[in-house]
Amino acid sequence: YSHYNYQGMCYGEGRSYLYNVRNPIHRIKSWYLYEHFLNQPKTQTNFKSKMAHCSNIMLGTCYKDFEHLASVGLSGPRPPFESSEGMLLRVATNLTTDECTDWAWATITGEVPASYHNAFNYDWYYAPMLEEKYRNSEVFVLRVEHLDQDWGVVDKMVGGDGKTLAGDVMPASVGANVNVAKDKDLPVRNSTLSAFGWKNLCKAMCHEMQTYKAMLQRAVNLNDEDVRESVEELREICPEETVEIREC
């Protein structure tokens, strides 16, 4: 099992891989609340102020909440920033509007890590599966929104009886220390977006959504109806998306 392994050590030839996924738009919204530098002392019990990630601080000081980030920071076209080419963003207490926009796009698209979960996105996890040596690897996908159903199917495929744990047993079995950010008194808690904010977020997350759909389509445990179901759930937020993988 690899949560976010820097070297991708869990990958090897001739193996099967299981991915746990959720709607990418919901995932990035959850990341923002959980890892906002002002919320981390509440959401992460072992957090200390010196652990705040520089990128996270830049993003959090540029925008007061998720709506501000989406409706203002992502309102224009994607800036010409590419971390892979060695480009760096300025770190300062007096960032300009354009510099804040650079931070908004770089963090939402995963170009720059801000407490890492934004950068360890589906594109990062799934990229090895696009290599030639993994072309015939078996991929299973568990959708958070349909976890019991998907787990039951996978369990049967690997020789089990397909039975899942009862809802009242599951929390105890996976550990009582479940961290639910929405249940905490967070300094930054607004994650409600305007229609304009949603539109901007869908635009910025386009590539991530295509990767998400590619994972769903490759999963041996999901049928066409399962894929359509998850895409329809995505379309409730981003209506331009279809089952087809498109150019962004």
Side-chain angles (χ1 to χ4, degrees), residues 10-68:
C10 70
Y11 292 103
E13 296 185 40
R15 299 173 61 180
S16 298
Y17 300 89
L18 186 148
Y19 293 90
N20 188 32
V21 303
R22 66 185 294 194
N23 183 311
I25 300 297
H26 292 161
R27 180 184 182 274
I28 201 70
K29 183 173 74 168
S30 177
W31 158 79
Y32 179 84
L33 288 180
Y34 186 80
E35 295 195 342
H36 192 288
F37 80 100
L38 293 178
N39 290 345
Q40 283 180 310
K42 295 272 190 178
T43 59
Q44 301 176 36
T45 55
N46 62 344
F47 179 83
K48 297 180 181 179
S49 59
K50 65 180 181 180
M51 294 171 59
H53 198 284
C54 181
S55 301
N56 212 355
I57 295 174
M58 294 301 99
L59 186 68
T61 52
C62 277
Y63 304 104
K64 62 182 180 180
D65 55 27
F66 197 55
E67 162 64 16
H68 192 205

Side-chain angles (χ1 to χ4, degrees), residues 58-114:
M58 294 301 99
L59 186 68
T61 52
C62 277
Y63 304 104
K64 62 182 180 180
D65 55 27
F66 197 55
E67 162 64 16
H68 192 205
L69 165 63
S71 63
V72 176
L74 303 176
S75 60
R78 179 174 179 169
F81 172 78
E82 296 291 342
S83 60
S84 60
E85 297 182 6
M87 296 183 181
L88 298 175
L89 299 180
R90 191 168 79 95
V91 175
T93 57
N94 61 339
L95 295 179
T96 66
T97 299
D98 287 346
E99 287 172 329
C100 282
T101 296
D102 290 342
W103 279 106
W105 276 89
T107 53
I108 291 298
T109 59
E111 280 281 332
V112 171

Side-chain angles (χ1 to χ4, degrees), residues 67 70-71 192-202 237:
E67 162 64 16
S71 63
T192 302
L193 293 187
S194 62
F196 187 57
W198 283 123
K199 183 177 180 180
N200 290 340
L201 189 61
C202 291
I237 305 170

Side-chain angles (χ1 to χ4, degrees), residues 33 39 181-192:
L33 288 180
N39 290 345
K182 67 182 179 61
D183 294 336
K184 299 179 183 295
D185 183 20
L186 303 178
V188 179
R189 59 185 306 110
N190 178 36
S191 62
T192 302

